[in-house]
Amino acid sequence: MLPRTFNRYTGLLKPSIKWDPSRSAALQYSTIGMERKQRANENIQTMRRRLQYQMRKRGILETDLLLSTFASEHLHALSHEELTDLDSLLSNIDWDIFYWATKKTAPPESVENMLVFQKLRAHAAKRGNMIVRMPDLEDSEKQ
């Protein structure tokens, strides 16, 4: 059993876990969910709609705005391979996706080599410092 210490902010006991600096190299890039669940019976239209929803409802506003405007402008024209890569990209942590797309941090090589990621990066660079709002779903579905 782990020794417990008192958390003065919550008033609860918490486990005492010491940070091991040798583990930090493994945390350099997020790899949460890079292998996505295979959806064998999903047609391309259903996949586009699912990805559109996932790109709008991330939880971090900056990433939501970046991905939803990208979806509105590009999702209808992406090939099945690009949609599959996009699905894999979306399995990463929101802040990682945002920082990679805006060139704040370097992405892993597997992400860097995705054609859809290059398009996302170009989209992010094009947006610049403009004020952006989330596009309406109707606008995205017309294309």
Side-chain angles (χ1 to χ4, degrees):
M1 184 167 174
L2 292 171
R4 301 211 174 251
T5 57
F6 183 74
N7 183 326
R8 67 185 179 134
Y9 299 108
T10 63
L12 302 172
L13 292 175
K14 62 179 184 177
S16 297
I17 301 174
K18 295 190 180 187
W19 176 250
D20 180 6
S22 65
R23 292 181 44 196
S24 63
L27 300 175
Q28 186 175 5
Y29 296 115
S30 68
T31 56
I32 297 174
M34 283 299 283
E35 297 299 321
R36 296 289 287 218
K37 175 181 156 185
Q38 297 297 321
R39 294 174 171 88
N41 296 329
E42 185 176 52
N43 65 33
I44 197 162
Q45 192 63 24
T46 304
M47 186 179 207
R48 280 195 176 105
R49 288 183 180 160
R50 179 177 54 80
L51 291 174
Q52 180 182 22
Y53 179 80
Q54 289 177 348
M55 294 170 83
R56 293 175 61 88
K57 305 292 184 185
R58 301 292 299 175
I60 307 270
L61 180 61
E62 292 85 348
T63 310
D64 287 349
L65 291 172
L66 175 66
L67 293 176
S68 66
T69 55
F70 177 79
S72 178
E73 293 178 20
H74 300 282
L75 197 62
H76 66 281
L78 296 178
S79 68
H80 189 272
E81 180 183 350
E82 290 173 319
L83 291 172
T84 303
D85 285 347
L86 182 59
D87 194 15
S88 177
L89 177 64
L90 292 178
S91 66
N92 288 284
I93 297 170
D94 290 357
W95 282 119
D96 286 346
I97 296 169
F98 183 78
Y99 288 142
W100 295 338
T102 57
K103 297 184 179 180
K104 303 285 187 219
T105 59
E109 190 175 330
S110 61
V111 171
E112 183 80 47
N113 294 334
M114 292 178 183
L115 181 59
V116 72
F117 178 72
Q118 297 303 322
K119 290 179 181 182
L120 179 62
R121 247 195 188 165
H123 176 78
K126 174 178 83 168
R127 302 311 273 181
N129 292 328
M130 293 174 30
I131 296 175
V132 182
R133 72 171 190 83
M134 190 158 309
D136 295 328
L137 280 174
E138 294 79 29
D139 295 340
S140 300
E141 290 176 358
K142 290 177 186 174
Q143 297 176 350

